[in-house]
Amino acid sequence: MRKFLMAGALGLLLPAMASAGEYNITVDRVMIDTGDFVKEGIGYNGASPGPVLRFKEGEIATINVTNNLDEMTSIHWHGLILPYDQDGVPGISFPGIKPGETFTYEFPIVQSGTYWFHSHSGFQEPDGAFGSIVIEPEGREPFRYDREYVIQLTDKHSHSGDRIMRNLKMMPDYYNRQQQTVGEFFSDASANGLMSTIQDRMAWGDMRMMKADVEDLQGFTGMINGMGPEQNWTGLFEPGERIRLRFINSSAVTYFDVRIPGLDMTVVQSDGNNVQPVTVDEFRIGVAETYDVIVRPKDAQAYTIFAESMGRSGYARATLAPEEGMESTVPEMREPARLTMADMGSMPGMDHGSMDMSGSPEMSGMDHSTMQGMDHSGMAGMDQGSMATSQEVPSDPFYAKGSGLVPTAANGGKFLSYADLKAQNPLYEDREPTREIELRLTGNMERYSWSINGVKYEDADPIRLKYGERVRFKFVNTTMMTHPMHLHGMWSILDVGAGEWNPVKHTVSVQPGTTVYMETEVDAPGQWAFHCHLSYHAAAGMFRKVIVEGGPDSTQAKADVAIEEGGDA
Amino acid sequence: MNVSKFIVAAAAMSITATTFAAGSHGSGHGSTTIGEPGKAGDASRTIQVDMRDNYYEPEAIEVTRGETVRFVIENKGNLVHEFNIGTPDMHAAHQDEMKMMVNHGVIQGGKLNEDMMSMDMGNGHSMKHDDPNSVLLEPGQKKEIVWTFSTATNMEFACNIPGHYQSGMYGDVNFDSVADTQASAH
């Protein structure tokens, strides 16, 4: 409870500071207690996670960051639209912050919503160097709530990030049971025939393929706001109140499936941008994504916030309750998802013709996403029975057809899909993209090397964009892992087939065996990072520098435009 | 919308009420406390209600028992919205129906599919949205409701399009107790 009280005390100080928009942040070695183990990590202002930074749209943020470590550090403001030299990526935005130095970030706040910040140096972020950002809009929120909580998730491992990376490099299955490589699969297939190999691998699947590939890393403790499941972070409410929960996934590598048994959750925002509200029973939050939901507990009882990892190797847990100390039952974790052939749909060298073909056009699902989205939501409502019986395998246009990863709600209800996300108030005019750039997400799991178009960051040329163009990015995931792709500095307009209503995000998950499109209005000059947000994938090379050439005549003009756009949101 | 149209709508309501109004009127007006459609001529005043994405302006209104109010409702947002007078329970029941309308493509973001609304769904039911206590408006549309409030009860005006009520698109109907005593029984 100590951390909780501290957060409360910080909260009391905030109103005084908010008008100035100024913060002092120290980067410190801290002790992190998960309830399962205590480890040394990195935090801000003496704690991990660091503080909730509150800003108001339209003000100037001034943040003085003092590095108390004996190594370089940096802070990246994840999802914030700002001048590139304030973006906090060493080697791209600035050189970094040396030990003992104070670096002052200063930039206008041109947006509102839920965001977060984290170190972009080494593995400081998985070691605990992150916090949250809450920006109040200039106008009113397009929804109502009586109170709000940040729910910041992480996957805390007892090993340091450096050690995990070393182990993964040496032995990619270090944190998993034995994993099978695709190469072996095909050599077996040619020797023994495809079907018997599949049967064999499926039989072995639990131990060898599936777990290894759904998650890089097992053996972590899921945490919410710095507390493990036993420490049980608790948010208070009065029955009947609407509560806004700002979910942030600050994990190194873990996707979480989130639910609150007994409560519907109305999703109102994703990645800081308001979406047309959609009520769900459960949602999957990718690494680095945020989802804001509104819940309305009517009864004076405790409710469990339960977030189990996608691979079911761990969970985070917290409680909403009318009083401290109350708690509700904690569900058992469900069976882990099983990768199917569909999830390997576009693996390189995979030459099983018809399967591949049936996968490709469907997996983007763009043409049908609207309809599929509706059918899907129908499952939660009227047509529950018929849908469930007529279709054994759940479907979601953002997963490969027949994928074993498609999530389903624990209570049989509605599970959020990307296809459900529609912008509440589109940020940009819809227009034809000026060109398309294909990015194949590639990897060699045997050597734990991750790349884009088969080329690692250190060997790659930057992606050059022209100021003023609208680029359509085509992500083709050729690996068996999900990659949360994060473009800095400019918005990612995710193509869910909703045209002008396509949602605006900063992080886009690309599932195995799928192709996903996003469009970017190139409206921010400078150079930016673009990478998979799984810490160890980014470090291994699934990373690019983006250079935006050209730009408006003066930076002042740009700031004005940006503020105008923000005001509309 | 004129008065005669309202009377027609009120009469038609009995047909669709079973499927669509879901108890928003109860059986006859004796058992309900939300009031009943009023005559424009009896309206003591006009309240302008603007629909935005996704909230109302204003978010609370004051009425007196027995008062007849003319509501002028205008959709100033970019999405379809509803204005529905009822109790929280009535809204909860109506939300299931609205979900069906969305699932069937009757409501698509900023568009209402009028043809589909009048389609026969079987059993003589349609997805018409013609209850006298509510209007469903596309962006830019403007309609009126004349409503006579009866007894003081826990009432809200609400948009029951999926997610809208849940995220806060509702307003309180507050009965002014002081004025209540002065109001003549209707």
Side-chain angles (χ1 to χ4, degrees), chain A residues 178-214:
Chain A
Q178 181 77 38
Q179 113 177 326
Q180 186 201 31
T181 64
V182 183
E184 282 171 18
F185 180 90
F186 287 104
S187 56
D188 284 7
S190 59
N192 309 328
L194 184 62
M195 279 324 289
S196 66
T197 306
I198 291 171
Q199 280 159 10
D200 174 56
R201 292 309 175 234
M202 290 302 156
W204 281 93
D206 279 4
M207 281 185 287
R208 304 180 74 191
M209 278 168 60
M210 183 275 305
K211 283 211 174 189
D213 294 325
V214 172

Side-chain angles (χ1 to χ4, degrees), chain A residues 304-362:
Chain A
T304 298
I305 300 173
F306 191 64
E308 49 188 332
S309 75
M310 182 165 73
R312 309 292 184 245
S313 55
Y315 66 91
R317 170 249 190 163
T319 296
L320 296 175
E323 291 170 35
E324 280 290 344
M326 289 177 72
E327 56 181 24
S328 184
T329 50
V330 179
E332 292 286 312
M333 282 199 289
R334 288 164 288 180
E335 285 295 304
R338 288 155 197 275
L339 286 176
T340 65
M341 292 299 285
D343 296 307
M344 302 191 290
S346 52
M347 296 293 292
M350 190 123 178
D351 194 21
H352 47 262
S354 63
M355 273 183 84
D356 210 12
M357 288 304 111
S358 71
S360 312
E362 285 298 325

Side-chain angles (χ1 to χ4, degrees), chain A residues 55-58 109 111-113 134-139 141 246:
Chain A
F55 298 106
K56 171 129 193 188
E57 183 181 0
I109 300 286
Q111 63 205 103
S112 63
V134 170
I135 308 174
E136 183 192 336
E138 256 173 341
E141 301 273 14
R246 301 171 181 269

Side-chain angles (χ1 to χ4, degrees), chain A residues 44-103:
Chain A
Y44 295 122
N45 294 350
S48 172
V52 181
L53 305 184
R54 289 181 184 270
F55 298 106
K56 171 129 193 188
E57 183 181 0
E59 72 181 356
I60 304 286
T62 306
I63 308 157
N64 307 303
V65 179
T66 302
N67 183 1
N68 291 338
L69 307 178
D70 55 9
E71 62 190 43
M72 296 285 282
T73 194
S74 58
I75 294 183
H76 165 59
W77 317 98
H78 189 112
L80 296 201
I81 299 302
L82 36 62
Y84 82 93
D85 56 0
Q86 302 297 304
D87 195 46
V89 181
I92 293 182
S93 333
F94 75 148
I97 309 170
K98 287 180 191 151
E101 277 191 356
T102 297
F103 181 87

Side-chain angles (χ1 to χ4, degrees), chain A residues 162-325:
Chain A
D162 282 328
R163 183 168 167 198
I164 290 169
M165 189 68 188
R166 273 198 309 276
N167 289 336
L168 287 171
K169 276 295 212 186
M170 269 185 326
M171 204 189 292
D173 56 359
Y174 188 94
Y175 294 99
N176 293 304
R177 283 171 276 182
Q178 181 77 38
Q179 113 177 326
Q180 186 201 31
T181 64
V182 183
E184 282 171 18
F185 180 90
F186 287 104
S187 56
D188 284 7
S190 59
N192 309 328
L194 184 62
M195 279 324 289
S196 66
T197 306
I198 291 171
Q199 280 159 10
D200 174 56
R201 292 309 175 234
M202 290 302 156
W204 281 93
D206 279 4
M207 281 185 287
R208 304 180 74 191
M209 278 168 60
M210 183 275 305
K211 283 211 174 189
D213 294 325
V214 172
E215 284 175 347
D216 288 59
L217 191 64
Q218 299 174 21
F220 60 86
T221 297
M223 297 182 85
I224 287 177
N225 298 344
M227 294 199 179
E230 294 306 314
Q231 296 163 329
N232 192 23
W233 179 90
T234 299
L236 299 180
F237 68 88
E238 299 281 343
E241 285 183 330
R242 284 178 169 80
I243 311 167
R244 176 183 190 171
L245 301 175
R246 301 171 181 269
F247 284 92
I248 303 167
N249 188 355
S250 301
S251 292
V253 290
T254 301
Y255 277 57
F256 285 102
D257 292 344
V258 180
R259 67 187 197 265
I260 309 175
L263 293 182
D264 289 341
M265 299 182 283
T266 300
V267 178
V268 296
Q269 189 180 96
S270 175
D271 289 5
N273 291 284
N274 293 329
V275 295
Q276 295 177 28
V278 52
T279 301
V280 301
D281 295 278
E282 192 167 344
F283 65 92
R284 175 168 288 175
I285 185 167
V287 171
E289 287 187 313
T290 75
Y291 287 96
D292 288 36
V293 309
I294 292 178
V295 297
R296 194 181 185 195
K298 290 182 181 153
D299 301 320
Q301 65 165 77
Y303 297 88
T304 298
I305 300 173
F306 191 64
E308 49 188 332
S309 75
M310 182 165 73
R312 309 292 184 245
S313 55
Y315 66 91
R317 170 249 190 163
T319 296
L320 296 175
E323 291 170 35
E324 280 290 344

Side-chain angles (χ1 to χ4, degrees), chain A residues 140-145 242 266 268 275-279 294 296 370 374 377-378 380-383 424-425 501, chain B residues 53-56 59 78-79 96-97 99-100 102-103 105 108-110 156 162-168 170-172:
Chain A
R140 60 157 290 165
E141 301 273 14
F143 34 79
R144 294 159 80 181
Y145 50 90
R242 284 178 169 80
T266 300
V268 296
V275 295
Q276 295 177 28
V278 52
T279 301
I294 292 178
R296 194 181 185 195
T370 320
M374 280 171 197
S377 64
M382 305 300 167
D383 304 326
Q424 167 77 13
N425 187 4
W501 302 104
Chain B
D53 301 327
N54 299 326
Y55 56 91
Y56 297 107
E59 288 186 317
N78 294 314
L79 301 168
D96 289 338
E97 299 157 358
K99 194 191 253 175
M100 185 167 80
V102 170
N103 290 346
Q108 290 180 320
E156 294 168 338
H164 291 202
Y165 178 85
Q166 292 86 342
S167 59
Y170 68 96
D172 296 313

Side-chain angles (χ1 to χ4, degrees), chain B residues 127-141:
Chain B
M127 287 198 278
K128 277 208 179 79
H129 190 276
D130 54 4
D131 307 322
N133 60 331
S134 74
V135 291
L136 187 61
L137 301 182
E138 280 187 347
Q141 281 186 323

